Amino acid sequence: MITNTPLLLACSLLIACGQAQGTEHRPEGLIYCAEGAPHTFNPQLTNQGTTLDAVSYPLYDRLLELNPITLALEPALATEWSVSEDGLRYRFTLRKGVMFHASPEFVPTRPLNADDVIFSFARVLDPRHPYYHVSGGRYPFFKNLGLDRLIKGVHKRSERVVEFELERPNAAFLADLASANSVILSSEYADKLLLAGTPDRIDKAPVGTGPYRLKEYRDNQFIRYVRHDAYWKGPARTGQLIFDIIPRSAKRLTKLLTGECDVMSYPAASQIGVIQSHPELSLSVQSGMNVAFVALNTRQPPLNDVRVRQALSLAINRDNLLHAVYYDTGEPARSLLPPLSWGFDPAQPPVRRDVAAAKQLLKEAGMAKGFEMRLLAPVGSRSYNPDPLKTAQLIRNDLALIGVKVKIQKLEQSVLDHAIDNGRYDAVLGGWQADNNDPDNFFRQLLGCQAIASGSNMSRWCSPSFEQLLDDAVSTQQLGFRIRNYYYAQKVLAQEVPLIPLAHALQTQASRYDIQGVQMNPLGGTLFNGAYQE
C-alpha cells in the first residue's frame, strides 16, 4: 500500500477541525469535485475530455450507448436498428415518449422524433445548414473520423423512424453513434432560437434528454444540474448534481475529506494510499481505454527524421514514469491501443530503454551533438496522466542523457490548443481517452490526415498508405480482417514513431463512504443518475 504520512496527518486534522465548518453551508444534492471547466455545453463542438465528462452524460443521450461494463452496444434513444445487406443504410426506430428538458426559455411541446435526429447531424455535417457555423463551426470528432464524407444523408421515414445513408460501408459507424459526441439535440428548441436571433444559445443554454438539466453555471467555479423528472430511464435518485471545479488535486482531496464534496475526480496517484487507508473514503479502480504519449511534430526538423524519433523513444525510461508518476496505477504502453481494446496486438514487443542505441541513431541522423526541443505540457491531471508536469520533467532528464535539451512549457488548455492549431511546437505531452471501443477511434482521431486541422493529430503525421489501411479495416464487418489490419497498423507506428506511447492509466475515483451508485465509464466520464447518499 502507498502511504504518505505528512499528507495523512494533515488530512486527519482537516477531518477533526474542518468537517463541520465545511459541510455547514453546503448545498443539497451530490457534489462532484471536478478537475476542470467545460468550454462548451455541446459535445459536438469538442474532443476535450474534461468538457465531455462534465456535459455529455448528465445532459444528453445518444441513439445507442455502450454498456460501461461489457462495452457492448445497447439501445438508448433508438430501441432497435437494422443494416441493409450492402451496409449503406442504417435504420433506427426511436423510443416512444422521450421528453426534452424544459427551461425558463423553452418548454417542449412534443417528445423526441426523427426531426431532432436529422437536425443534430445536419448541423455538424452540412456547411449550408443555418446552425453549421454557430459557435465557430468546428466539429473535431465528426471531421476527424470523416463522418462528413461518410454520411450521404439522414432521412425521415416516419415520426419515429430515421435512416442514415452512407457513401460506403463502415464497420465503426454504430460505435461512432454511441460516442459521447453524438448527442441528440432538440430541433424545436433550435427553431425557436433561430427565430429569436440567438442561435448560439443552443450551445450555452443546452436542452437535451439526459438525466439532468442545466440550472446554473458560473464560469470556472461550478455547474449546477437539477433532476430531469421526465427522464426516459426514470428520474435520477439525486435531485441536484453539482460539479465543483477544482483544478488542483490536493484541494479536491481536502474538500472530499471535509465533506464539501462527495466524489472526487482523478485523484493524484500519490494520494491513493491516503484514500485507501481513510475510514470515511472509498476508492474505485478500473481499467480504462486511454493512452498517454509524447506527440512529435513530424513536420519540424529534426523530428521529421524517423531515426531521431526512434532515438527519443528508446531513451525514455517508461518504468520510472510508472513508479514516479503513476505510482503503479498504470501499465507501460506497448502500442497506441490499450490491452483492453479488441484490436490490441499482444505480440507487439515492449519498447526497452536503450541509451546506446538511441545515441547511435542520433549519430546516423547527423545529430551526434544533440539538439534542443520544446515540449508543451498541459496544466493539471488528466484521466490518462495524473501529473503531466512531472512526466515532462522525467522525460527531460532521460533525453538529456542522449544530448537532447528539452525546454518544458506548461500551458493552460486554451493556450495549448492555440499553439497546437498553429503548429508552433516541437513536441506535446498528450493523451487520449477513447470515445468508443472501436480501434478506429484511436488511430483515425490521433493519426488521421483529417485530424491535423482539428488539432487531435498533434504529430501532424499524414500517411496515405496508413490511411488506406484504416479505410480498408472499416470497409468490412469481418472481424478477422479488421484485426489483421489493426495489428499491422501497430507495427507501422512502432517503426515510424509519430508519437511515443508512454502508459495506459487505470481509472481511479474517490468518494465518501456513504455514496453509492456512482459508475465510472471506461470510455471517460462518470454516470450519476443512479447515485445516492445512504
Side-chain angles (χ1 to χ4, degrees):
M1 179 179 292
I2 304 157
T3 59
N4 188 323
T5 303
L7 180 57
L8 182 57
L9 177 61
C11 292
S12 299
L13 290 171
L14 282 167
I15 286 291
C17 64
Q19 184 169 10
Q21 183 179 6
T23 58
E24 184 179 6
H25 302 295
R26 61 162 281 164
E28 294 290 329
L30 190 73
I31 302 178
Y32 177 66
C33 279
E35 81 285 359
H39 65 257
T40 177
F41 278 94
N42 182 353
Q44 296 173 325
L45 297 167
T46 185
N47 258 342
Q48 188 199 17
T50 299
T51 297
L52 294 173
D53 292 355
V55 171
S56 186
Y57 294 101
L59 285 173
Y60 297 98
D61 291 299
R62 292 137 289 278
L63 291 173
L64 307 175
E65 61 189 19
L66 289 163
N67 184 295
I69 298 173
T70 66
L71 297 182
L73 283 168
E74 295 182 342
L77 294 181
T79 57
E80 57 186 72
W81 61 93
S82 62
V83 185
S84 63
E85 288 188 9
D86 60 6
L88 297 179
R89 292 181 301 280
Y90 287 71
R91 181 168 291 200
F92 297 87
T93 300
L94 302 181
R95 191 174 297 274
K96 288 182 180 178
V98 174
M99 294 304 299
F100 283 95
H101 302 154
S103 71
E105 57 188 301
F106 173 71
V107 177
T109 64
R110 59 163 178 80
L112 169 85
N113 69 21
D115 294 332
D116 302 307
V117 178
I118 292 171
F119 166 76
S120 300
F121 286 90
R123 183 231 166 122
V124 304
L125 300 174
D126 183 2
R128 299 164 298 178
H129 194 276
Y131 268 88
Y132 181 86
H133 295 287
V134 171
S135 302
R138 295 187 66 182
Y139 307 99
F141 172 82
F142 300 89
K143 292 287 186 181
N144 293 352
L145 296 178
L147 293 176
D148 55 331
R149 293 173 286 116
L150 174 67
I151 299 174
K152 186 175 183 179
V154 188
H155 310 292
K156 181 177 182 177
R157 299 308 183 200
S158 72
E159 286 296 303
R160 289 183 45 242
V161 176
V162 64
E163 186 175 88
F164 288 77
E165 184 182 5
L166 306 187
E167 293 282 0
R168 58 194 176 278
N170 188 295
F173 182 61
L174 289 175
D176 293 339
L177 293 185
S179 298
N181 310 77
S182 299
V183 296
I184 303 302
L185 311 177
S186 167
S187 67
E188 186 182 18
Y189 182 46
D191 289 343
K192 179 180 179 181
L193 293 175
L194 198 61
L195 190 62
T198 57
D200 62 326
R201 295 287 291 164
I202 200 168
D203 305 319
K204 297 175 181 178
V207 166
T209 61
Y212 291 93
R213 59 182 176 85
L214 181 65
K215 176 72 172 178
E216 182 183 6
Y217 174 54
R218 291 192 186 176
D219 192 25
N220 290 308
Q221 295 183 52
F222 67 84
I223 311 167
R224 188 188 306 275
Y225 293 119
V226 294
R227 179 167 52 208
H228 175 37
D229 290 326
Y231 186 46
W232 59 273
K233 286 186 180 180
R237 297 189 66 168
T238 301
Q240 182 168 252
L241 172 64
I242 296 172
F243 276 59
D244 189 6
I245 298 163
I246 311 291
R248 293 180 58 240
S249 63
K251 189 173 181 180
R252 293 200 300 276
L253 179 57
T254 298
K255 284 201 163 193
L256 185 69
L257 288 163
T258 59
E260 293 174 82
C261 68
D262 301 300
V263 185
M264 169 192 174
S265 73
Y266 306 129
S270 59
Q271 298 170 338
I272 287 176
V274 173
I275 294 165
Q276 288 177 319
S277 63
H278 200 286
E280 295 190 1
L281 303 183
S282 62
L283 182 74
S284 299
V285 181
Q286 70 175 25
S287 297
M289 291 283 284
N290 63 63
V291 63
F293 55 75
V294 178
L296 305 173
N297 189 342
T298 58
R299 299 185 180 183
Q300 185 84 4
L303 298 173
N304 58 346
D305 189 320
V306 67
R307 295 168 296 185
V308 173
R309 302 197 298 268
Q310 291 170 344
L312 298 183
S313 179
L314 287 171
I316 293 174
N317 188 335
R318 291 164 176 79
D319 290 337
N320 189 33
L321 286 176
L322 286 169
H323 293 309
V325 175
Y326 291 83
Y327 287 76
D328 300 318
T329 62
E331 56 185 313
R334 286 192 278 166
S335 84
L336 193 62
L337 294 180
L340 192 61
S341 170
W342 57 261
F344 173 73
D345 181 5
Q348 185 71 30
V351 180
R352 303 294 185 189
R353 189 187 189 204
D354 192 333
V355 173
K359 288 181 177 179
Q360 179 61 32
L361 283 167
L362 287 183
K363 182 178 179 180
E364 293 172 7
M367 291 285 153
K369 295 183 178 180
F371 61 94
E372 294 184 2
M373 61 180 281
R374 186 166 61 115
L375 174 62
L376 307 186
V379 174
S381 59
R382 297 292 187 271
S383 61
Y384 46 78
N385 191 335
D387 194 338
L389 179 58
K390 189 172 184 179
T391 301
Q393 292 167 342
L394 292 171
I395 290 172
R396 178 184 61 192
N397 297 343
D398 289 340
L399 297 187
L401 298 178
I402 61 170
V404 177
K405 297 179 181 178
V406 176
K407 179 181 179 182
I408 299 170
Q409 193 166 359
K410 186 172 65 171
L411 299 176
E412 295 288 346
Q413 189 64 50
S414 59
V415 181
L416 179 62
D417 290 343
H418 185 69
I420 292 170
D421 286 345
N422 288 281
R424 298 197 303 265
Y425 57 92
D426 298 308
V428 181
L429 186 61
W432 186 251
Q433 177 71 53
D435 303 300
N436 59 56
N437 67 335
D438 197 290
D440 190 70
N441 188 262
F442 274 90
F443 292 125
R444 205 178 297 270
Q445 292 267 33
L446 296 174
L447 293 164
C449 299
Q450 290 288 117
I452 295 173
S454 72
S456 66
N457 181 347
M458 293 179 281
S459 69
R460 306 179 80 82
W461 183 73
C462 175
S463 167
S465 61
F466 185 78
E467 198 94 350
Q468 188 62 54
L469 191 67
L470 301 184
D471 289 343
D472 290 344
V474 297
S475 68
T476 177
Q477 296 287 343
Q478 295 180 14
L479 190 59
F481 179 84
R482 298 193 70 199
I483 289 174
R484 185 191 69 180
N485 274 33
Y486 292 136
Y487 279 13
Y488 186 66
Q490 289 164 81
K491 289 180 172 61
V492 170
L493 296 181
Q495 176 64 33
E496 291 294 323
V497 201
L499 47 78
I500 303 172
L502 301 174
H504 307 293
L506 291 175
Q507 286 185 295
T508 58
Q509 190 175 81
S511 62
R512 301 287 300 176
Y513 70 99
D514 56 350
I515 301 300
Q516 303 295 324
V518 177
Q519 189 171 29
M520 284 194 295
N521 188 339
L523 299 169
T526 302
L527 308 178
F528 289 104
N529 47 304
Y532 64 97
Q533 185 174 27
E534 281 189 328

